[in-house]
PDB file of all heavy atoms in Angstrom:
ATOM      1  N   PHE A   6      -0.439  -2.651 -17.451  1.00 57.00           N
ATOM      2  CA  PHE A   6      -0.580  -2.068 -16.117  1.00 57.00           C
ATOM      3  C   PHE A   6       0.718  -1.394 -15.668  1.00 57.00           C
ATOM      4  O   PHE A   6       0.710  -0.289 -15.175  1.00 57.00           O
ATOM      5  CB  PHE A   6      -0.975  -3.133 -15.094  1.00 57.00           C
ATOM      6  CG  PHE A   6      -0.945  -2.645 -13.679  1.00 57.00           C
ATOM      7  CD1 PHE A   6      -1.941  -1.820 -13.210  1.00 57.00           C
ATOM      8  CD2 PHE A   6       0.091  -2.984 -12.834  1.00 57.00           C
ATOM      9  CE1 PHE A   6      -1.914  -1.340 -11.911  1.00 57.00           C
ATOM     10  CE2 PHE A   6       0.133  -2.510 -11.528  1.00 57.00           C
ATOM     11  CZ  PHE A   6      -0.879  -1.686 -11.079  1.00 57.00           C
ATOM     12  N   MET A  29       5.402  -4.034   5.650  1.00 93.00           N
ATOM     13  CA  MET A  29       4.164  -3.259   5.656  1.00 93.00           C
ATOM     14  C   MET A  29       4.216  -2.161   4.600  1.00 93.00           C
ATOM     15  O   MET A  29       3.226  -1.891   3.930  1.00 93.00           O
ATOM     16  CB  MET A  29       3.905  -2.671   7.046  1.00 93.00           C
ATOM     17  CG  MET A  29       2.537  -2.072   7.210  1.00 93.00           C
ATOM     18  SD  MET A  29       1.131  -3.141   6.733  1.00 93.00           S
ATOM     19  CE  MET A  29       1.344  -4.540   7.807  1.00 93.00           C
ATOM     20  N   PHE A  30       5.379  -1.543   4.410  1.00 93.00           N
ATOM     21  CA  PHE A  30       5.514  -0.543   3.349  1.00 93.00           C
ATOM     22  C   PHE A  30       5.269  -1.193   1.989  1.00 93.00           C
ATOM     23  O   PHE A  30       4.566  -0.632   1.141  1.00 93.00           O
ATOM     24  CB  PHE A  30       6.897   0.119   3.386  1.00 93.00           C
ATOM     25  CG  PHE A  30       6.917   1.421   4.137  1.00 93.00           C
ATOM     26  CD1 PHE A  30       6.898   1.427   5.516  1.00 93.00           C
ATOM     27  CD2 PHE A  30       6.944   2.630   3.465  1.00 93.00           C
ATOM     28  CE1 PHE A  30       6.919   2.623   6.222  1.00 93.00           C
ATOM     29  CE2 PHE A  30       6.958   3.831   4.152  1.00 93.00           C
ATOM     30  CZ  PHE A  30       6.942   3.829   5.545  1.00 93.00           C
ATOM     31  N   ALA A  31       5.837  -2.367   1.774  1.00 92.00           N
ATOM     32  CA  ALA A  31       5.645  -3.067   0.498  1.00 92.00           C
ATOM     33  C   ALA A  31       4.163  -3.378   0.279  1.00 92.00           C
ATOM     34  O   ALA A  31       3.638  -3.178  -0.822  1.00 92.00           O
ATOM     35  CB  ALA A  31       6.469  -4.344   0.466  1.00 92.00           C
ATOM     36  N   CYS A  32       3.497  -3.840   1.322  1.00 92.00           N
ATOM     37  CA  CYS A  32       2.053  -4.140   1.213  1.00 92.00           C
ATOM     38  C   CYS A  32       1.252  -2.883   0.932  1.00 92.00           C
ATOM     39  O   CYS A  32       0.335  -2.897   0.110  1.00 92.00           O
ATOM     40  CB  CYS A  32       1.556  -4.803   2.495  1.00 92.00           C
ATOM     41  SG  CYS A  32       2.127  -6.487   2.725  1.00 92.00           S
ATOM     42  N   ARG A  33       1.578  -1.795   1.597  1.00 92.00           N
ATOM     43  CA  ARG A  33       0.840  -0.544   1.397  1.00 92.00           C
ATOM     44  C   ARG A  33       1.059   0.003  -0.016  1.00 92.00           C
ATOM     45  O   ARG A  33       0.126   0.483  -0.641  1.00 92.00           O
ATOM     46  CB  ARG A  33       1.243   0.514   2.428  1.00 92.00           C
ATOM     47  CG  ARG A  33       0.827   0.193   3.841  1.00 92.00           C
ATOM     48  CD  ARG A  33      -0.650  -0.091   4.013  1.00 92.00           C
ATOM     49  NE  ARG A  33      -1.472   0.921   3.406  1.00 92.00           N
ATOM     50  CZ  ARG A  33      -2.709   0.728   2.958  1.00 92.00           C
ATOM     51  NH1 ARG A  33      -3.274  -0.451   3.063  1.00 92.00           N
ATOM     52  NH2 ARG A  33      -3.393   1.702   2.416  1.00 92.00           N
ATOM     53  N   PHE A  34       2.299  -0.049  -0.508  1.00 89.00           N
ATOM     54  CA  PHE A  34       2.553   0.416  -1.874  1.00 89.00           C
ATOM     55  C   PHE A  34       1.775  -0.442  -2.868  1.00 89.00           C
ATOM     56  O   PHE A  34       1.140   0.076  -3.789  1.00 89.00           O
ATOM     57  CB  PHE A  34       4.042   0.385  -2.204  1.00 89.00           C
ATOM     58  CG  PHE A  34       4.807   1.550  -1.647  1.00 89.00           C
ATOM     59  CD1 PHE A  34       5.856   1.352  -0.772  1.00 89.00           C
ATOM     60  CD2 PHE A  34       4.482   2.847  -2.014  1.00 89.00           C
ATOM     61  CE1 PHE A  34       6.569   2.426  -0.261  1.00 89.00           C
ATOM     62  CE2 PHE A  34       5.185   3.932  -1.507  1.00 89.00           C
ATOM     63  CZ  PHE A  34       6.234   3.709  -0.626  1.00 89.00           C
ATOM     64  N   ALA A  35       1.804  -1.750  -2.694  1.00 89.00           N
ATOM     65  CA  ALA A  35       1.090  -2.651  -3.599  1.00 89.00           C
ATOM     66  C   ALA A  35      -0.413  -2.373  -3.550  1.00 89.00           C
ATOM     67  O   ALA A  35      -1.083  -2.333  -4.587  1.00 89.00           O
ATOM     68  CB  ALA A  35       1.375  -4.109  -3.241  1.00 89.00           C
ATOM     69  N   ASP A  36      -0.947  -2.186  -2.356  1.00 89.00           N
ATOM     70  CA  ASP A  36      -2.381  -1.901  -2.204  1.00 89.00           C
ATOM     71  C   ASP A  36      -2.737  -0.583  -2.885  1.00 89.00           C
ATOM     72  O   ASP A  36      -3.714  -0.509  -3.631  1.00 89.00           O
ATOM     73  CB  ASP A  36      -2.753  -1.864  -0.720  1.00 89.00           C
ATOM     74  CG  ASP A  36      -4.227  -1.629  -0.503  1.00 89.00           C
ATOM     75  OD1 ASP A  36      -5.036  -2.501  -0.900  1.00 89.00           O
ATOM     76  OD2 ASP A  36      -4.591  -0.559   0.040  1.00 89.00           O
ATOM     77  N   SER A  37      -1.951   0.449  -2.638  1.00 88.00           N
ATOM     78  CA  SER A  37      -2.230   1.757  -3.242  1.00 88.00           C
ATOM     79  C   SER A  37      -2.164   1.693  -4.764  1.00 88.00           C
ATOM     80  O   SER A  37      -3.026   2.240  -5.454  1.00 88.00           O
ATOM     81  CB  SER A  37      -1.233   2.805  -2.724  1.00 88.00           C
ATOM     82  OG  SER A  37      -1.415   3.011  -1.342  1.00 88.00           O
ATOM     83  N   LEU A  38      -1.139   1.031  -5.301  1.00 84.00           N
ATOM     84  CA  LEU A  38      -1.012   0.920  -6.752  1.00 84.00           C
ATOM     85  C   LEU A  38      -2.151   0.111  -7.359  1.00 84.00           C
ATOM     86  O   LEU A  38      -2.706   0.481  -8.394  1.00 84.00           O
ATOM     87  CB  LEU A  38       0.326   0.295  -7.132  1.00 84.00           C
ATOM     88  CG  LEU A  38       1.554   1.170  -6.919  1.00 84.00           C
ATOM     89  CD1 LEU A  38       2.825   0.378  -7.202  1.00 84.00           C
ATOM     90  CD2 LEU A  38       1.497   2.411  -7.788  1.00 84.00           C
ATOM     91  N   SER A  39      -2.522  -0.996  -6.706  1.00 86.00           N
ATOM     92  CA  SER A  39      -3.584  -1.842  -7.264  1.00 86.00           C
ATOM     93  C   SER A  39      -4.937  -1.144  -7.258  1.00 86.00           C
ATOM     94  O   SER A  39      -5.777  -1.411  -8.104  1.00 86.00           O
ATOM     95  CB  SER A  39      -3.670  -3.174  -6.515  1.00 86.00           C
ATOM     96  OG  SER A  39      -4.160  -2.974  -5.197  1.00 86.00           O
ATOM     97  N   ARG A  40      -5.137  -0.258  -6.314  1.00 85.00           N
ATOM     98  CA  ARG A  40      -6.401   0.489  -6.234  1.00 85.00           C
ATOM     99  C   ARG A  40      -6.322   1.822  -6.973  1.00 85.00           C
ATOM    100  O   ARG A  40      -7.296   2.572  -7.012  1.00 85.00           O
ATOM    101  CB  ARG A  40      -6.767   0.754  -4.772  1.00 85.00           C
ATOM    102  CG  ARG A  40      -7.061  -0.477  -3.963  1.00 85.00           C
ATOM    103  CD  ARG A  40      -7.242  -0.093  -2.499  1.00 85.00           C
ATOM    104  NE  ARG A  40      -7.274  -1.240  -1.631  1.00 85.00           N
ATOM    105  CZ  ARG A  40      -8.376  -1.751  -1.107  1.00 85.00           C
ATOM    106  NH1 ARG A  40      -9.551  -1.209  -1.397  1.00 85.00           N
ATOM    107  NH2 ARG A  40      -8.327  -2.791  -0.315  1.00 85.00           N
ATOM    108  N   ARG A  41      -5.119   2.121  -7.492  1.00 86.00           N
ATOM    109  CA  ARG A  41      -4.863   3.414  -8.129  1.00 86.00           C
ATOM    110  C   ARG A  41      -5.245   4.560  -7.198  1.00 86.00           C
ATOM    111  O   ARG A  41      -5.837   5.559  -7.604  1.00 86.00           O
ATOM    112  CB  ARG A  41      -5.574   3.515  -9.469  1.00 86.00           C
ATOM    113  CG  ARG A  41      -5.055   2.482 -10.425  1.00 86.00           C
ATOM    114  CD  ARG A  41      -5.656   2.552 -11.769  1.00 86.00           C
ATOM    115  NE  ARG A  41      -5.062   1.474 -12.553  1.00 86.00           N
ATOM    116  CZ  ARG A  41      -5.177   1.357 -13.830  1.00 86.00           C
ATOM    117  NH1 ARG A  41      -5.870   2.223 -14.506  1.00 86.00           N
ATOM    118  NH2 ARG A  41      -4.595   0.363 -14.464  1.00 86.00           N
ATOM    119  N   TRP A  46      -0.240   8.238   3.000  1.00 93.00           N
ATOM    120  CA  TRP A  46       0.088   7.662   4.301  1.00 93.00           C
ATOM    121  C   TRP A  46       1.586   7.785   4.501  1.00 93.00           C
ATOM    122  O   TRP A  46       2.327   8.088   3.570  1.00 93.00           O
ATOM    123  CB  TRP A  46      -0.366   6.204   4.372  1.00 93.00           C
ATOM    124  CG  TRP A  46      -0.043   5.398   3.145  1.00 93.00           C
ATOM    125  CD1 TRP A  46      -0.852   5.168   2.069  1.00 93.00           C
ATOM    126  CD2 TRP A  46       1.195   4.744   2.852  1.00 93.00           C
ATOM    127  NE1 TRP A  46      -0.197   4.419   1.130  1.00 93.00           N
ATOM    128  CE2 TRP A  46       1.072   4.138   1.592  1.00 93.00           C
ATOM    129  CE3 TRP A  46       2.401   4.606   3.522  1.00 93.00           C
ATOM    130  CZ2 TRP A  46       2.090   3.408   0.995  1.00 93.00           C
ATOM    131  CZ3 TRP A  46       3.420   3.881   2.934  1.00 93.00           C
ATOM    132  CH2 TRP A  46       3.256   3.288   1.684  1.00 93.00           C
TER     133      TRP A  46
END
Side-chain angles (χ1 to χ4, degrees):
F6 172 75
M29 191 52 59
F30 264 76
C32 288
R33 292 305 310 154
F34 281 121
D36 182 65
S37 295
L38 289 174
S39 69
R40 295 173 191 257
R41 297 182 181 192
W46 44 266

